[in-house]
Amino acid sequence: MKIKIAALIAVLTLTTLPHPMQAQKKHFTLEDLNYGGNNYRQLLPQNMWLTWWGEQLMYQDAEEGGTIDARGKRKPLFRLDEVNAMLTNGEPNTKPIHSAMSATYPYADKPLVMLRNADLQLLYNFKTKAIEWTQALKGVTVSKWNKASKALAYKKADQQLYIRDGMEETQLTTDGSREIVYGEAVHRNEFGIEEGLFWSDNGRRLAFYRMDQTMVADYPQVDIFQREANHEPDKYPMAGMTSHQVTVGIYDLLTKKTVYLKTPDNPNNPANPVYFTNIAWSPDGETIYMQELNREQNDCRLVSYDAATGERKRELYRETSDKYVEPQHPILFLPWDETLFVMQSQKDGYNHLYLFNIEGQQVQQLTKGPWVVTSVAGFNRKDKSIIITSNELHPLQDNAYSVAIATGKRTLLDEGIGVAQTCQLSASGEKLYEKFSAPQIPRRIITASTRKHATKTLLDAADPWKDYQQPLFENGSIKAADGQTDLYWRMVKPADFDPQKKYPTVVYVYGGPHAHNVAASWHWASRSWETYMAQKGYIVFILDNRGSERRGLDFEQATWHQLGQIEMQDQMKGVDYLRALPYVDMERLGVHGWSYGGFMTISLMTNYPDVFKVGVAGGPVIDWKWYEVMYGERYMGTPENNPIGYAKTSLLPKAKNLKGRLQIITGYNDATVVPQHCLAFLDACIKAGTQPDFFAYPGEPHNMRGHASVHLHERITRYFEDYLK
């Protein structure tokens, strides 16, 4: 494939040039840079909220919605004040619709827009100027609507599952509770699970998860904001311990009956569950498909079930591994052929697309190469192609392609630069709009054909930081500790950087699965805190080590059963690179990370105590035996079958090695990395006579919310100011 290689290389080697040190240039505050800050949204790149009505692109402003053409010309079709006037009809207690920014157009052939607030959803006809249909949402906690039947599946505060079909409400369950959970994501949101309600396309049947947590141990979280603190436990299955039991129910609107899939999970053996994920419906709604994964996560099967009876029909595909298989995506049927579907798999070492028939026979591999398919946007029915995004052009990019189902031929659809953040198709799939950014492009929105490479620009956002003194953003690569693999880095330098000076430097690290820090998006995907630190005179260095995402199985699985070890080796190669730079002050080297990055921060501080002088570890994993079953066992096995790995990766024995200044921070009510991690490490430090610092955010979860995030980042900054600078 011929791509604009010269343009690509130019983008990937660009460095933000120094800005003239003009007196009018402002300095950033954390209120400007942090998402919890009062000024944060004012410094985001200009944006547009868009969606499709059939083949017509629509804009979604807060007060109105309408059409927008390829030149950006708008034609309003409705205003919220008109809708609200009809909705309230003089009733003072009726809540108005406050924003059209989440409006949808569910029917490609009808002039209807769906609008919502907390109490109701409605369909408004923007041609006749009439509200055609409403549905109450008051008291609903979790819901899923179907456009074919207009039926709503939902939960209430009583934890029961309901269906509203027309004016009729049907209660599906009676035993819902905090221990018996219906209609929500299960398996702790692993394996691509984001929801728990799944309508068939025709709206006749609803599939839903039922999760029995009665056998799972409670973790004793506490609400301290009461006169007497309340016990508010979380169900938290730790690695090697008993997990929850999941079943899948099917409710039929016509028969008004529920059946449960007759799955292989053994209800009498909850210690050995099967994970059920990636639920998909056949186009006719008669068959349901699901991927079933064993607890060891090395044996995955795609299975079909009869939706009317719950009977198992056949196993269509099986994938095994000596490490792990990680299903993430449901199958997708071809809109023009109900006997064929597309499946995503990493079986050849990279995430690619495969075409199968409903008998379970692989017809062909649709994509192939040392790159990964990052998302599927949908199908172009006329051209019989599938529209994807991938990092084929460069590991740091994400671009849109069409892939011909018959031949596998790929056609680049966008500008071939940067990182696609949104890629949404029209109803036919013949058009798309894409939002992307590149190192020096804050945001660009384009429309494109999915039949050929032809794009038009709707928005080219100006630099929202143009009035500020900006740091320098740089990008490059080094070799991993294996001497062969390329690792990509980002460096952020002060705006007035002088190569003759020496600068205190902070290594920011995450390093774990399902994440990457460096990308060819605006400022090389730099976090705003890095800008704040550069403004205060620091260099910040970020390296994506082996074990992070989007680089293929060998890259990702290099850390299997020994988390933190390969990652540290690669991060120390980054330190070697910094050591070779004359402007990096190696006597003032710090490290900071959150979650997996907190684990990496303490790992580096205690394994290389003479290298890192100051560290700030947020929400750190300390010992993987306290982490949850699904994630923990995928990468580490259990403490029983991998005792050497658990011993090697535990930070408790390393507490005695701490020499530099280390601050540990946690959300007091963290349900992801429970506070037991931090507290156990503090206890180990007390026994070893080492002296970390500790700070907790009462009531906060794994990540600080709202303005607490501003406080958090000021605290992190001050720690480096006090002890590193």
Side-chain angles (χ1 to χ4, degrees):
M1 181 182 298
K2 294 182 179 179
I3 302 297
K4 299 176 183 177
I5 298 296
L8 171 66
I9 293 173
V11 169
L12 291 175
T13 56
L14 278 175
T15 295
T16 304
L17 298 176
H19 291 264
M21 304 306 293
Q22 301 172 7
Q24 68 268 27
K25 292 289 184 181
K26 303 176 186 176
H27 281 207
F28 292 101
T29 69
L30 280 177
E31 296 289 348
D32 300 325
L33 293 170
N34 190 274
Y35 64 83
N38 294 325
N39 308 326
Y40 175 68
R41 295 191 179 280
Q42 299 173 20
L43 288 175
L44 293 178
Q46 183 184 355
N47 202 354
M48 298 171 70
W49 284 263
L50 303 168
T51 190
W52 291 98
W53 170 39
E55 300 305 295
Q56 174 63 59
L57 192 61
M58 312 293 283
Y59 71 87
Q60 304 158 288
D61 280 350
E63 291 84 17
E64 66 179 23
T67 64
I68 184 167
D69 64 20
R71 295 170 296 173
K73 185 177 180 181
R74 301 183 180 203
K75 178 184 177 182
L77 293 179
F78 69 89
R79 288 190 56 82
L80 282 188
D81 53 7
E82 300 169 348
V83 179
N84 285 325
M86 285 180 275
L87 180 64
T88 57
N89 196 25
E91 302 267 345
N93 294 327
T94 303
K95 291 183 180 178
I97 307 291
H98 289 296
S99 176
M101 292 171 69
S102 60
T104 59
Y105 299 80
Y107 306 103
D109 57 344
K110 298 176 183 178
L112 297 174
V113 58
M114 171 75 85
L115 299 166
R116 296 181 179 87
N117 64 20
D119 287 351
L120 86 164
Q121 56 188 5
L122 61 87
L123 288 171
Y124 178 70
N125 189 316
F126 48 80
K127 287 193 174 179
T128 64
K129 303 295 184 183
I131 296 174
E132 292 198 355
W133 173 90
T134 63
Q135 192 170 58
L137 296 177
K138 192 170 185 178
V140 169
T141 57
V142 175
S143 67
K144 188 72 174 288
W145 182 74
N146 180 266
K147 69 178 183 180
S149 62
K150 293 191 180 72
L152 182 75
Y154 58 97
K155 290 180 66 177
K156 297 181 182 178
D158 63 3
Q159 301 295 321
Q160 308 308 332
L161 189 59
Y162 297 82
I163 293 279
R164 186 173 295 140
D165 185 15
M167 299 299 292
E168 182 182 1
E169 180 181 83
T170 302
Q171 183 173 338
L172 305 189
T173 66
T174 58
D175 60 343
S177 66
R178 68 174 288 264
E179 296 195 323
I180 307 293
V181 180
Y182 287 98
E184 297 186 34
V186 299
H187 304 321
R188 296 188 65 83
N189 298 88
E190 295 292 332
F191 320 114
I193 299 172
E194 296 179 354
E195 58 183 343
L197 299 168
F198 311 88
W199 282 106
S200 60
D201 289 346
N202 59 18
R204 173 179 171 176
R205 293 186 173 103
L206 172 78
F208 59 89
Y209 279 129
R210 179 186 189 271
M211 178 169 61
D212 183 351
Q213 303 186 102
T214 55
M215 68 291 292
V216 177
D218 280 335
Y219 185 85
Q221 299 281 12
V222 176
D223 174 11
I224 63 143
F225 298 104
Q226 308 297 324
R227 173 67 184 274
E228 293 182 349
N230 282 341
H231 183 216
E232 294 187 350
D234 291 322
K235 290 292 184 180
Y236 196 95
M238 292 182 178
M241 300 181 72
T242 302
S243 187
H244 50 243
Q245 195 79 15
V246 171
T247 48
V248 178
I250 309 288
Y251 178 76
D252 190 316
L253 265 65
L254 295 184
T255 66
K256 299 190 181 303
K257 293 181 179 179
T258 298
V259 300
Y260 281 86
L261 300 187
K262 297 173 183 176
T263 58
D265 206 0
N266 181 1
N268 297 317
N269 185 18
N272 190 29
V274 175
Y275 301 130
F276 302 121
T277 183
N278 298 315
I279 290 174
W281 283 97
S282 62
D284 63 5
E286 297 299 321
T287 305
I288 195 165
Y289 296 83
M290 190 163 62
Q291 289 173 316
E292 300 176 350
L293 186 67
N294 65 333
R295 178 161 182 167
E296 290 77 13
Q297 302 184 44
N298 57 13
D299 189 345
C300 183
R301 304 164 194 243
L302 175 63
V303 181
S304 62
Y305 289 88
D306 187 303
T309 65
E311 294 288 344
R312 189 181 180 93
K313 294 175 70 173
R314 62 161 52 97
E315 180 181 306
L316 291 92
Y317 173 75
R318 184 179 183 184
E319 186 173 329
T320 60
S321 169
D322 59 352
K323 293 186 174 69
Y324 57 83
V325 181
E326 191 177 5
Q328 290 282 316
H329 310 280
I331 63 171
L332 296 170
F333 279 87
L334 302 189
W336 56 88
D337 189 339
E338 296 183 356
T339 68
L340 297 173
F341 62 84
V342 174
M343 184 184 75
Q344 296 189 49
S345 171
Q346 298 190 86
K347 64 180 181 176
D348 78 344
Y350 296 87
N351 190 55
H352 282 300
L353 305 183
Y354 297 82
L355 186 66
F356 279 77
N357 63 30
I358 55 175
E359 303 301 317
Q361 299 164 326
Q362 181 177 316
V363 177
Q364 65 176 340
Q365 183 171 351
L366 295 174
T367 60
K368 187 176 180 63
W371 45 271
V372 300
V373 173
T374 53
S375 71
V376 174
F379 295 94
N380 179 328
R381 292 163 176 77
K382 187 172 184 179
D383 270 11
K384 292 184 169 55
S385 60
I386 187 168
I387 312 305
I388 66 169
T389 61
S390 78
N391 64 355
E392 177 177 355
L393 287 177
H394 192 280
L396 299 186
Q397 292 191 203
D398 202 9
N399 301 107
Y401 290 84
S402 68
V403 182
I405 295 294
T407 65
K409 180 184 176 182
R410 299 186 301 282
T411 302
L412 179 68
L413 300 178
D414 62 19
E415 297 182 11
I417 59 174
V419 174
Q421 297 151 333
T422 300
C423 182
Q424 191 180 111
L425 300 185
S426 64
S428 70
E430 294 182 43
K431 303 175 184 177
L432 67 78
Y433 86 83
E434 178 185 287
K435 297 182 183 182
F436 75 91
S437 72
Q440 293 193 341
I441 299 174
R443 180 176 284 120
R444 185 173 291 166
I445 303 178
I446 62 170
T447 58
S449 165
T450 61
R451 304 186 66 187
K452 58 183 178 179
H453 189 191
T455 67
K456 293 184 179 179
T457 300
L458 271 180
L459 171 69
D460 213 345
D463 183 354
W465 292 10
K466 61 183 175 56
D467 295 329
Y468 289 79
Q469 194 179 97
Q470 298 185 37
L472 314 181
F473 301 94
E474 299 179 356
N475 167 258
S477 67
I478 62 171
K479 293 297 181 184
D482 64 3
Q484 300 176 344
T485 307
D486 288 327
L487 304 177
Y488 296 97
W489 55 258
R490 172 177 72 247
M491 185 178 289
V492 185
K493 296 176 178 176
D496 59 352
F497 173 72
D498 181 350
Q500 302 304 314
K501 294 182 179 179
K502 282 189 174 290
Y503 291 87
T505 300
V506 176
V507 174
Y508 176 77
V509 61
Y510 182 78
H514 289 289
H516 64 290
N517 281 320
V518 186
S521 55
W522 191 38
H523 295 162
W524 298 104
S526 179
R527 300 166 64 251
S528 296
W529 177 77
E530 297 162 20
T531 289
Y532 191 60
M533 290 293 283
Q535 182 175 272
K536 288 185 171 292
Y538 295 84
I539 289 173
V540 185
F541 180 77
I542 302 92
L543 176 74
D544 280 335
N545 50 248
R546 284 174 293 168
S548 52
E549 67 178 356
R550 297 190 176 192
R551 297 291 303 278
L553 270 184
D554 287 346
F555 191 92
E556 294 173 11
Q557 293 186 338
T559 64
W560 185 70
H561 273 206
Q562 52 170 347
L563 293 181
Q565 311 311 298
I566 295 293
E567 299 94 309
M568 281 193 289
Q569 294 175 26
D570 286 352
Q571 289 294 331
M572 292 309 293
K573 285 296 179 181
V575 171
D576 290 343
Y577 173 73
L578 293 175
R579 186 176 284 112
L581 300 176
Y583 46 81
V584 171
D585 187 348
M586 291 301 294
E587 296 301 313
R588 293 186 292 167
L589 185 66
V591 59
H592 166 51
W594 199 271
S595 193
Y596 200 100
F599 164 67
M600 287 295 298
T601 295
I602 300 179
S603 295
L604 289 166
M605 288 285 292
T606 56
N607 281 277
Y608 302 94
D610 295 319
V611 175
F612 297 95
K613 311 303 179 186
V614 178
V616 179
V621 173
I622 296 298
D623 193 307
W624 290 100
K625 70 173 177 286
W626 293 319
Y627 203 67
E628 52 95 345
V629 166
M630 298 83 190
Y631 181 107
E633 293 183 3
R634 180 186 315 131
Y635 303 117
M636 286 293 293
T638 67
E640 291 74 28
N641 67 26
N642 183 24
I644 295 175
Y646 273 83
K648 182 191 295 185
T649 60
S650 175
L651 298 178
L652 296 176
K654 308 289 177 58
K656 64 181 184 297
N657 299 340
L658 181 63
K659 291 175 67 175
R661 300 294 309 222
L662 171 64
Q663 178 171 232
I664 301 170
I665 305 176
T666 190
Y668 185 79
N669 295 88
D670 191 339
T672 303
V673 181
V674 293
Q676 185 170 355
H677 288 269
C678 293
L679 298 175
F681 187 75
L682 294 179
D683 179 65
C685 289
I686 292 167
K687 292 172 179 173
T690 51
Q691 293 284 346
D693 295 315
F694 179 64
F695 193 87
Y697 281 84
E700 291 297 316
H702 190 53
N703 296 295
M704 304 311 114
R705 300 165 298 183
H707 210 266
S709 180
V710 177
H711 186 280
L712 166 68
H713 284 89
E714 181 59 35
R715 182 161 194 88
I716 295 168
T717 303
R718 284 191 185 187
Y719 202 76
F720 288 113
E721 289 280 270
D722 289 344
Y723 298 112
L724 187 66
K725 197 170 185 181

